[in-house]
Amino acid sequence: MSDRLSVGIAEIRIAEPPARLVTYGLGSCVAITLFDAERCLGGLAHTLLPSAHRAGDVHRPAKFVDAAIEAMAAELVARGAARQRLAAKIFGGANMFEPLLGAADNAVGARNIRSARETLVALAIPLLAEDVGGNFGRTVEFDLASGRVRVRAVRGREGEMLF
Amino acid sequence: MSFPSLSEDQLDALREISNIGMGHAATALSQLIGETIYLRVPRVTVTDIAQVPELLGGAERVVAGITLQVLGDARGNILLIFPRDSAQRLLARLLGSEEEGLLFNELGSSTMKEVGNILASAYLNAMGSLLHLTLIPSVPLLACDMAGAVVDYVLIELSAAGDLALMVETEFHGVDPGEELIKGHFFLLPDARSLELILDVVGGRR
C-alpha cells in the first residue's frame, strides 16, 4: 500500500514501478495519464480547467488540461522517456449536476474532455483509452508496473473497471 | 484583493455574520425535523483549492452535497454537505420512511434539494438584512457521490480566478448522541470581489 502515491487537485506526479498513482473523487475535473511502456515511466495529472492558453495563465500548469499535458510530457522526456513512445488515457469530465447547468456540451467537464483530446492530437500522443463523461465521480489508480488504470465509481455504475 | 490578507477583525466579522445566518438556518431545520439543532463556532479558512476536499473529510467519502449559487449584490457558492448516513436519517425523519435507496430516488432527492433551499434562504435572508444587501439563492443542485466529485465544480469556478478558496464553515448537529445523529456542514464560498464588498459593508476594514 505504501507504493500508492496520491495526486491532488491541480497536481502532476511522475513515477516508476512499483508505484501506483491515485487521484480521488474526480467530478468535472479531468485526469490524464501518460505512459512510456518500454521505459515503464509514467505520470498522472489532475486538472480543473480546459485551457491555460485561452486563460492567458501559465503560472500553475497543472490546473489546466492543455498545459498539464505539455508539462507532463516534457518532464517525462527529461526523466528518460521517449517522446514518440508516450501514450495517453483520460478520465473524468463528468457533469455532476446534469439537468440544470445548461447544455451538456458547454459544461466544463465536456470542455475539459475536448481540450484533452485536442491537446493530445496536437502533440501527436495517441489516446489509448478513455472513461469520461456521465454524471458520477471517479477514483483513478494508475499502476506503473502494467500501465493499466483502475477506475472506481460509487454511483452511476457498480464497482471497478480496468483501462 | 487577495484572500490571505484578512485581519483578525475581518475574520471575526465573517464568523459573526455566518453565525447569525446559520442561526436562522438552524431554526428552520429544527422546525422542519422537530429537533433542536446545535451549531459549532464557525471556522473561516483560507486555503489552496487543492486542500478543499480534505477539509470536507476526504475526496472519496460518499456524501450528499447540495450546492446553490448566491446571486444578487454579492456572488459566491453555498455548499451543504451531509455524510450519507446523516442524509439518510434526515430523509427518514422528514418522509417517515426507512427505505434504502431513498437518497437516490425522485422523492428523496427533491426533498434534499428543498432542505438545501430552506437552509440557504434562511442563511442569506438573515445575512442580507444585516448587511443591507440583496442575496438570492439559485435553484439547488444535488449530487450524492464522492465528496471530491461533488465539490470540484465549485473549485473549478474558483480556480478560474485564482488558486485560493475562502470558506466560512459551520458544523451543525442534532441532539441524539447515539446512532441516530444528524449532522452536516454548511459552507459559504464568496468570490473575491464579493468578499471585499461584504467586508466593506461590515466596516471590518484592513
Side-chain angles (χ1 to χ4, degrees):
Chain A
M1 291 296 141
S2 57
D3 298 336
R4 196 174 283 172
L5 305 173
S6 156
V7 180
I9 295 172
E11 195 182 355
I12 301 173
R13 277 186 100 150
I14 307 285
E16 298 180 56
R20 281 177 292 172
L21 293 168
V22 195
T23 198
Y24 298 99
L26 283 170
S28 304
C29 286
V30 163
I32 306 112
T33 65
L34 290 182
F35 189 52
D36 175 345
E38 205 162 299
R39 171 77 176 69
C40 273
L41 184 69
L44 174 66
H46 182 149
T47 59
L48 294 150
L49 290 161
S51 175
H53 301 307
R54 220 167 302 151
D57 176 1
V58 286
H59 78 284
R60 192 168 171 181
K63 263 165 66 168
F64 303 96
V65 173
D66 56 355
I69 295 174
E70 287 162 14
M72 184 159 59
E75 175 70 14
L76 285 166
V77 170
R79 300 260 299 257
R83 182 72 172 70
Q84 69 281 4
R85 281 200 306 261
L86 290 179
K89 296 177 185 176
I90 62 175
F91 306 92
N95 190 4
M96 300 299 296
F97 306 100
E98 204 121 38
L100 282 164
L101 290 177
D105 270 7
N106 293 322
V108 68
R111 285 189 286 126
N112 280 337
I113 297 165
R114 270 206 302 279
S115 172
R117 290 180 185 142
E118 287 166 11
T119 307
L120 292 168
V121 167
L123 295 174
I125 297 173
L127 178 57
L128 296 187
E130 58 177 33
D131 177 27
V132 295
N135 61 351
F136 54 89
R138 294 170 172 88
T139 286
V140 166
E141 185 171 322
F142 178 23
D143 183 354
L144 275 298
S146 64
R148 305 294 290 275
V149 179
R150 193 178 291 276
V151 179
R152 242 189 336 268
V154 295
R155 278 264 296 137
R157 67 175 186 224
E158 293 290 308
E160 300 189 334
M161 287 177 78
L162 264 185
F163 292 91
Chain B
M1 168 164 186
S2 57
F3 286 140
S5 59
L6 293 178
S7 69
E8 204 40 55
D9 283 354
Q10 291 175 318
L11 292 175
D12 267 347
L14 284 174
R15 278 192 285 262
E16 187 52 31
I17 294 164
S18 184
N19 215 9
I20 291 164
M22 200 56 216
H24 286 250
T27 305
L29 182 61
S30 82
Q31 284 169 357
L32 211 57
I33 63 174
E35 184 180 302
T36 310
I37 294 290
Y38 293 94
L39 300 177
R40 293 269 179 100
V41 178
R43 278 197 304 185
V44 179
T45 323
V46 178
T47 178
D48 191 277
I49 43 172
Q51 296 306 313
V52 173
E54 283 318 305
L55 294 172
L56 300 178
E60 218 182 11
R61 195 171 65 126
V62 178
V63 299
I66 302 151
T67 115
L68 301 97
Q69 281 175 292
V70 181
L71 307 169
D73 293 336
R75 294 296 187 106
N77 283 280
I78 283 176
L79 260 177
L80 192 56
I81 304 275
F82 292 96
R84 179 164 52 181
D85 45 356
S86 281
Q88 204 74 255
R89 279 179 215 125
L90 181 60
L91 284 178
R93 197 77 63 86
L94 289 170
L95 300 172
S97 152
E98 303 275 341
E99 195 189 321
E100 255 303 297
L102 207 51
L103 204 44
F104 301 109
N105 71 23
E106 186 79 33
L107 179 63
S109 57
S110 86
T111 305
M112 287 306 289
K113 284 187 222 170
E114 193 50 34
V115 168
N117 202 7
I118 291 167
L119 296 190
S121 300
Y123 185 96
L124 291 178
N125 262 333
M127 190 169 149
S129 53
L130 191 72
L131 301 175
H132 304 289
L133 297 174
T134 305
L135 303 172
I136 307 157
S138 75
V139 177
L141 302 172
L142 170 79
C144 300
D145 209 316
M146 304 173 188
V150 171
V151 302
D152 76 358
Y153 185 79
V154 175
L155 300 181
I156 285 170
E157 204 175 296
L158 283 168
S159 73
D163 291 340
L164 295 168
L166 179 137
M167 303 199 300
V168 186
E169 176 201 4
T170 312
E171 188 181 342
F172 55 92
H173 60 89
V175 225
D176 198 319
E179 305 236 303
E180 295 299 305
L181 185 68
I182 291 175
K183 63 174 183 175
H185 292 254
F186 190 102
F187 297 88
L188 175 71
L189 296 103
D191 66 26
R193 198 180 308 155
S194 300
L195 177 65
E196 196 166 14
L197 175 72
I198 292 168
L199 290 172
D200 274 354
V201 176
V202 291
R205 284 227 163 253
R206 269 172 296 165

